[in-house]
Amino acid sequence: APITKLCCMLWVVGHAVIPSHNLPILFQSTGELVVGMLFLAQHLRNLERELSSRQFIVWLGWIWTFGTSVHWMTLQTIEVEARLLGPYLWMGGTLYWYLRFVPRLHPKFFSIVGIPLSEKALQYTWGVYLLAHHGMASLWQGLVGGIGAAIYFAAVPTHILPLSIPNFV
């Protein structure tokens, strides 16, 4: 998954080189970088393998474009000062993909208070923990990313959105 590797390298190098972390695609702290990158590296790699690298680039671009558009419209309608915080849009998008398209392997992996849970519950807990790191701002961005992923996966089979980037080679 070369695009996922490139994203992970950019997050690490960007975090090390840019001390103020003003870029909206970077994590805000070192702990957030480590835990968030472990989550995203795993899920983005699987998503890239499922979609193909070309379609994955379109997915990343769509989620980012949709999320920043919704963010901008929100800032225009509600007078709050907020900025995009890290790759939470992509986290929300991968959580939607994981919920919708990844099957449960062990439906009764463990139980809490007699309620059987699959192994996917651990991933959801990890993802929601990461999304709650900056409170409502990051939860909102994760929700917008999930909505963007839902629109993407609904629109691609009908060819409303492009399936992949063109082949220039």
Side-chain angles (χ1 to χ4, degrees):
I3 306 303
T4 301
K5 288 179 186 176
L6 179 66
C7 288
C8 290
M9 286 188 280
L10 289 174
W11 286 323
V12 171
V13 170
H15 185 78
V17 171
I18 302 171
S20 62
H21 308 297
N22 288 329
L23 288 176
I25 62 169
L26 296 179
F27 290 101
Q28 304 300 309
S29 66
T30 305
E32 188 181 357
L33 170 74
V34 171
V35 177
M37 202 171 73
L38 288 172
F39 176 81
L40 280 175
Q42 172 189 359
H43 291 295
L44 289 179
R45 189 181 111 234
N46 291 336
L47 180 60
E48 183 178 357
R49 287 181 174 174
E50 185 174 311
L51 293 179
S52 82
S53 292
R54 287 184 179 170
Q55 192 174 357
F56 181 67
I57 290 172
V58 172
W59 182 85
L60 288 174
W62 166 254
I63 296 292
W64 185 255
T65 304
F66 179 79
T68 53
S69 300
V70 169
H71 182 73
W72 181 80
M73 288 186 293
T74 304
L75 290 179
Q76 298 303 316
T77 57
I78 303 170
E79 294 183 21
V80 238
E81 285 196 33
R83 61 186 184 93
L84 293 172
L85 303 164
Y88 292 110
L89 294 168
W90 294 319
M91 282 185 197
T94 56
L95 281 175
Y96 172 80
W97 163 77
Y98 193 72
L99 171 71
R100 179 77 171 84
F101 296 105
V102 175
R104 294 180 300 167
L105 297 177
H106 307 287
K108 295 181 179 181
F109 189 64
F110 65 99
S111 67
I112 296 178
V113 193
I115 301 170
L117 299 170
S118 71
E119 79 285 352
K120 290 175 72 171
L122 297 172
Q123 298 296 325
Y124 297 139
T125 305
W126 187 10
V128 171
Y129 168 75
L130 287 168
L131 287 178
H133 188 68
H134 289 286
M136 288 306 293
S138 55
L139 282 170
W140 170 251
Q141 290 175 20
L143 178 66
V144 169
I147 292 169
I151 292 170
Y152 178 83
F153 287 117
V156 165
T158 59
H159 300 291
I160 294 171
L161 291 172
L163 189 59
S164 66
I165 59 175
N167 184 4
F168 294 111
V169 179

